[in-house]
Each structure stands twice: as structure tokens, then as C-alpha cells.
Amino acid sequence: MNLTEHFTLEEMTRSETAARHGYDNTPNDSEVANLVRLCELLEQVKEALGGKPIMINSGFRSKQVNDAVGSKDSSQHRIGCAADIRVPGMTPREVVQACIDANLPFDQIILEFDAWTHISIPNVVGAAPRGSKLIIDRQGARQYS
């Protein structure tokens, strides 16, 4: 099922952890609605990157999946508002910088371990995006610079 032109429900809910453990990773209706909003932002990311493909490492995570990967219950992945992405041919830092330079309406963008880019939308429809820019690595979390 397509959520937007280039993103499907299947790719936004795919989880090796769920498959390995037999966990259900099916979002409810409000979580699907959030995933649609998230994919609308990802379409803007794709446009800002000149149409390059965006690979979804992690999108929606059910409670079981989120717990199994060691993430907090407050993770925006839990409600379908966040995705971890990679873009072939670009470093995660380049992706983060391109999103910032394009002035995209993200809630959070995080350069994580120089391995992927976390990007999210506000948890509530109509809320203003915070525009938070962070780096998370072995040293901890800090402002992106």
C-alpha cells in the first residue's frame, strides 16, 4: 500500500527484529496517519536530494519491536513519526546538511553514529516542527554543528 508516491506502508513497517522474533509490527489507524505525514516529509527530503533513493532502516516500531531494539517508549518511531534513513551515494552528514539547507519542516533531524539519519515530524497534527538538530554518537547527544 502506497502512503505517498515513493513510500509504502511495507517499507515503513519492515523490521528484521519483528521478523526474527515473530513480533507484530502493524500500526493502528492513527499511526498509519502519522506515517502518511512522515512520508510527505520524506518526499520533500527526496526532492531536496535531487530525487535520490531513500532507504528506510527503521520507520514505525511496535512496543515489542521498540523494546527489543533497546529504544525508549518516548521514541517517535513508536507512533509513526520518525524514520532512520540512508541515501546511497551520500554520507549521513551530507543528508542532514541538505535537509537543513533546504529548510525542511522536520521536528528533529539527528546524525546518528555517522551511520544513518533520523528524521521526524511533530507528534501532533498541526503542531509546529521544533527544527531540532542533533548528533548522537559514542560521546552522547549534542547540538548539530
Side-chain angles (χ1 to χ4, degrees), residues 8 13-14 30 45 47 71 75 80 88 93 102 112 116 125 129 135:
T8 66
T13 59
R14 184 179 306 122
S30 67
V45 172
E47 184 177 325
S71 190
S75 169
R93 183 174 291 277
E112 292 198 54
W116 66 86
V125 175
I135 295 173

Side-chain angles (χ1 to χ4, degrees), residues 37-92:
R37 290 189 306 118
L38 176 60
C39 289
E40 288 168 351
L41 174 61
L42 292 174
E43 292 287 354
Q44 293 178 59
V45 172
K46 185 174 183 67
E47 184 177 325
L49 301 179
K52 290 186 186 325
I54 296 175
M55 313 302 290
I56 309 299
N57 289 353
S58 180
F60 172 77
R61 294 185 202 139
S62 67
K63 175 148 177 54
Q64 277 186 311
V65 171
N66 200 60
D67 288 351
V69 300
S71 190
K72 297 177 182 177
D73 280 340
S74 60
S75 169
Q76 289 180 294
H77 289 276
R78 282 283 298 113
I79 56 173
C81 289
D84 295 336
I85 64 173
R86 290 177 296 110
V87 178
M90 293 183 77
T91 67

